[in-house]
Amino acid sequence: MIGVLAQASTTDFDIFVQTFFKATALGSLYSLLALGFVLVYKSTQTLNFAQGAMALVGAWFLSLVFIDWDFPARWLPGPNWLHWIIALLVAAAMAAVMGMAIEKYTIRPMIGQPLFSMAMITLALEVILRTISFDAVNLTTRSLGVPWGTRIFMLGGARVAWSYIAATAMALLAFVAIWRFFKTRMGIAMRATSFDQEAAMAQGINVSRVFSIAWASGASLAAFAGVFASMSPWPSGGTANRDGAFFVFRALPAVVLGGLDSVVGALVGGMIIGFSEIYAGQYLANYTGVLGVGYQQVIPYLVMLVGLLVRPYGLYGTVEVRRV
Amino acid sequence: MLEIANLEVVYNEVILVLRGLSIEVPDGHIVALLGANGAGKTTTTRAITGLLDMHDGKVTKGSVTFDGHRIDDDDPSAIVRSGITQVMEGRRVFAELTVDENLITGGITNTDRKALAVAHDRVMTMFPVLAERRKSTAGYLSGGEQQMLAIGRALMADPKLLILDEPSLGLAPKLVAQIRDTIVEINTAGTSVLLIEQNARMALSIANYGYVLETGKVVMDGEAEKLLKDEDIQEFYLGLHGDEGERKSFRDVKHYKRRKRWLS
Ligand SMILES: Nc1ncnc2c1ncn2[C@@H]1O[C@H](COP(=O)(O)OP(=O)(O)OP(=O)(O)O)[C@@H](O)[C@H]1O
Ligand SMILES: [Mg+2]
């Protein structure tokens, strides 16, 4: 009660602004995960249900590199935040290698199998990776050494966590990077391959390399999402947490809503889901009696359902996807 | 020089489609490969370019040799690098990519920037329509423009041998004439051509030599002029028999069937 009184200067508008940043951040995380999912789906027509577990493993990689190995502070002088960013990039690179290995040893041998079998394999991977993350490496208690920790800043009367800004910036960077990559020779080869594999092969495009790169980028994007989703003040708060898995699974509605094969769809779908979840959580809280506790976790699926009723193949999904 | 000797191709381990096919494309020549629907023309190009795999097809006998090397076991990328490119049946341009991006895919095996620039310039001069629409999405081009793009794309790798699978399909007579002239121009510049056609008159009018394929075997071959005068050929392939119009439209429908994917 006293805490509420102390914040008496927080106006409705401030709350709206606070909610806005939180929603943008969550939307960014969903978008990041969705982007990785879309890249993999577009290139290899595989629904990668392991995307969430890959995110967790990515967070574990960061903890391993930054905390356990004390990399790169051990050799490199300089500010903590710089070390952290370098460690993050190393973790993302490790995730990329993991993605390539997964593609090479579990997906490629299955080429030509029905979509369903492929999806089952990625589901199995999900379970395996998640089990490793929790039981083998005890992920729950690991710190990620986030430089800004739990710090917040004031925007007028609104309290905004630096984590929110960081997540949004990260997603922005990732989308710009992918956008630019798509204009490079390799990126063009990837788009060509996802459009018409045989025609791509006929040009001499090495499609195995394309698959490999798609999975590598999917896994790195997952790692970024995993790291930024494990920060305070997200429920797990600064450690990689078991909740992360469920958190990450909620990105699926974003993918489906945006359209399985659309990069723009990943961005828009992620944002719509993030916004509806956070705003519903903020403004419908008085109706928990009717809606039930934890209703905001159902919101993504509700929004997805409504979206699919209007546009059965997602907002930006293309005609080709209809065959699936 | 491309040599196909006694080639046998089987799909799905049971469907025998090519039964001892033998053809040759000498350097600098245009060779026409004629045949009705289902004769095995496209299968022949798949066997040459390493694309049988993804159709569950296999060479079970015979060989494909290019410049003295066996290529029937090579992957498509290696075959492109050895100097063979193709204009696929049904054009198969990357509709979501721009004209320039399509051309980049064609030059993907070519890492020499200067050579790429030269190849690109050549395509632009050959097809001024494409030069005007470099940034347009390929899917919005007309059928004729897409065929030009498909040809331009195949030229980006600077091939020694160009295979064209029914390039005149579905095009108006004026465009067919233009494509024909383009093929001659490409050949004059030093590229050998294997021209697959249902439009036998067009193909034989520019070819040095021709083969007629029927159910996976060569049933007739000879100098192009001789074939052009042959009565059987006239009857079956030059439209003096049966109504071409109906056949055309039926075939057009066939090419709107969904593109195949080997990963779905
Ligand atoms: N992927 C495949 N699996 C099984 N059979 C196939 C496959 N592709 C082609 N065939 C069969 O092989 C035969 C030859 O087909 P191909 O496409 O080579 O003929 P074509 O001469 O190119 O015909 P068209 O003029 O219609 O293009 C046909 O009977 C066809 O049904
Ligand atoms: Mg054919």
Side-chain angles (χ1 to χ4, degrees):
Chain A
M1 219 33 216
I2 292 177
V4 174
L5 287 178
Q7 285 178 26
S9 64
T10 310
T11 63
D12 284 351
F13 179 70
D14 291 334
I15 288 183
F16 180 86
V17 171
Q18 258 168 231
T19 312
F20 177 84
F21 279 97
K22 190 174 180 188
T24 314
L26 185 66
S28 297
L29 294 173
Y30 286 164
S31 298
L32 267 181
L33 278 169
L35 179 59
F37 194 96
V38 164
L39 282 183
V40 164
Y41 179 77
K42 261 178 95 80
S43 313
T44 57
Q45 271 80 48
T46 309
L47 300 166
N48 180 18
F49 291 114
Q51 188 78 355
M54 282 173 153
L56 288 176
V57 174
W60 168 48
F61 283 159
L62 175 65
S63 173
L64 198 65
V65 171
F66 190 66
I67 307 287
D68 294 15
W69 300 347
D70 196 20
F71 178 92
R74 201 189 266 247
W75 299 289
L76 194 73
N80 185 48
W81 61 264
L82 182 65
H83 290 156
W84 191 81
I85 288 175
I86 294 173
L88 177 63
L89 293 177
V90 173
M94 287 164 69
V97 172
M98 172 184 72
M100 287 195 222
I102 288 177
E103 188 273 324
K104 183 164 178 194
Y105 295 110
T106 69
I107 304 299
R108 202 177 304 170
M110 295 292 291
I111 278 175
Q113 302 300 315
L115 210 70
F116 183 72
S117 324
M118 308 282 275
M120 287 314 289
I121 288 186
T122 63
L123 259 180
L125 273 171
E126 210 276 342
V127 174
I128 294 168
L129 289 178
R130 195 138 48 93
T131 309
I132 294 176
S133 320
F134 293 122
D135 301 341
V137 304
N138 201 6
L139 194 56
T140 323
T141 54
R142 280 175 167 268
S143 162
L144 293 178
V146 183
W148 50 86
T150 57
R151 258 175 284 155
I152 59 158
F153 66 96
M154 301 298 293
L155 193 72
R159 302 155 59 84
V160 181
W162 280 108
S163 294
Y164 295 160
I165 303 297
T168 307
M170 180 69 240
L172 214 71
L173 266 174
F175 272 88
V176 170
I178 292 293
W179 201 258
R180 310 232 1 208
F181 167 69
F182 275 164
K183 306 284 172 198
T184 65
R185 272 164 68 92
M186 190 63 219
I188 290 168
M190 184 181 279
R191 284 157 61 213
T193 304
S194 55
F195 183 78
D196 184 339
Q197 218 154 45
E198 187 184 15
M201 291 173 86
Q203 310 313 313
I205 290 172
N206 184 341
V207 295
S208 312
R209 172 134 30 105
V210 167
F211 299 160
S212 192
I213 290 177
W215 276 81
S217 5
S220 313
L221 289 166
F224 287 129
V227 166
F228 285 81
S230 304
M231 287 174 185
S232 158
W234 296 120
S236 46
T239 59
N241 188 292
R242 198 178 274 267
D243 288 344
F246 303 102
F247 180 83
V248 139
F249 240 83
R250 296 215 300 278
L252 276 179
V255 180
V256 177
L257 179 68
L260 282 174
D261 65 341
S262 165
V263 169
V264 179
L267 181 61
V268 176
M271 284 298 167
I272 291 179
I273 299 288
F275 268 76
S276 29
E277 185 178 332
I278 297 292
Y279 272 89
Q282 179 64 37
Y283 290 101
L284 301 181
N286 292 337
Y287 304 101
T288 40
V290 189
L291 299 171
V293 181
Y295 66 91
Q296 68 267 44
Q297 284 170 24
V298 184
I299 297 286
Y301 294 98
L302 276 181
V303 174
M304 176 186 82
L305 267 177
V306 173
L308 288 187
L309 285 178
V310 183
R311 293 187 63 101
Y313 309 105
L315 297 175
Y316 295 88
T318 54
V319 184
E320 289 298 324
V321 180
R322 294 176 194 208
R323 292 189 311 126
V324 174
Chain B
M1 163 116 152
L2 176 80
E3 285 173 277
I4 299 178
N6 264 319
L7 195 68
E8 228 178 68
V9 169
V10 172
Y11 283 117
N12 305 320
E13 315 217 314
V14 282
I15 312 165
L16 180 64
V17 170
L18 297 187
R19 324 156 180 257
L21 178 81
S22 296
I23 62 176
E24 275 180 18
V25 185
D27 286 346
H29 281 220
I30 298 180
V31 171
L33 186 57
L34 313 172
N37 293 149
K41 305 181 298 293
T42 300
T43 303
T44 307
T45 70
R46 287 178 189 151
I48 302 170
T49 55
L51 293 175
L52 279 176
D53 245 6
M54 64 182 308
H55 293 276
D56 228 340
K58 246 207 222 101
V59 172
T60 48
K61 229 193 231 166
S63 64
V64 182
T65 314
F66 186 60
D67 288 347
H69 299 283
R70 285 281 294 260
I71 58 169
D72 36 289
D73 244 352
D74 288 358
D75 60 63
S77 172
I79 292 168
V80 171
R81 268 192 292 267
S82 73
I84 303 176
T85 64
Q86 67 167 321
V87 177
M88 297 171 86
E89 184 176 26
R91 301 175 197 125
R92 305 283 283 269
V93 299
F94 301 113
E96 290 174 1
L97 271 55
T98 66
V99 167
D100 265 354
E101 286 169 344
N102 268 277
L103 294 178
I104 288 172
T105 64
I108 208 87
T109 53
N110 199 342
T111 45
D112 178 354
R113 274 174 183 276
K114 274 199 200 115
L116 278 175
V118 171
H120 190 272
D121 283 350
R122 177 185 178 204
V123 173
M124 293 294 127
T125 345
M126 197 175 274
F127 304 114
V129 220
L130 296 184
E132 286 162 27
R133 312 196 50 182
R134 289 176 57 176
K135 303 276 175 252
S136 318
T137 304
Y140 296 138
L141 300 180
S142 72
E145 289 162 347
Q146 289 192 13
Q147 189 59 270
M148 293 174 203
L149 179 56
I151 296 174
R153 184 175 65 177
L155 289 177
M156 288 296 290
D158 245 332
K160 292 187 240 170
L161 169 67
L162 178 66
I163 303 172
L164 297 108
D165 195 347
E166 306 203 36
S168 74
L169 188 81
L171 299 185
K174 217 175 97 191
L175 279 168
V176 174
Q178 191 189 343
I179 298 285
R180 186 194 59 207
D181 295 346
T182 305
I183 296 170
V184 172
E185 185 186 340
I186 293 167
N187 177 248
T188 313
T191 301
S192 326
V193 173
L194 177 59
L195 177 57
I196 292 168
E197 267 297 344
Q198 296 248 336
N199 186 337
R201 193 191 303 278
M202 181 275 238
L204 291 174
S205 73
I206 58 172
N208 305 87
Y209 203 85
Y211 293 88
V212 177
L213 210 59
E214 219 166 80
T215 53
K217 264 201 299 247
V218 174
V219 290
M220 189 187 299
D221 66 316
E223 304 290 327
E225 292 135 63
K226 232 167 65 201
L227 290 183
L228 211 44
K229 292 191 198 109
D230 187 278
E231 271 183 24
D232 287 345
I233 299 261
Q234 291 197 340
E235 187 175 346
F236 288 108
Y237 296 106
L238 300 187
L240 304 179
H241 179 87
D243 35 1
E244 271 253 289
E246 240 171 65
R247 218 168 71 195
K248 266 261 143 58
S249 63
F250 179 76
R251 288 183 48 69
D252 284 351
V253 169
K254 168 177 173 266
H255 286 287
Y256 282 102
K257 72 183 179 205
R258 296 260 179 213
R259 60 176 204 262
K260 299 182 188 92
R261 283 181 171 169
W262 62 308
L263 259 184
S264 54

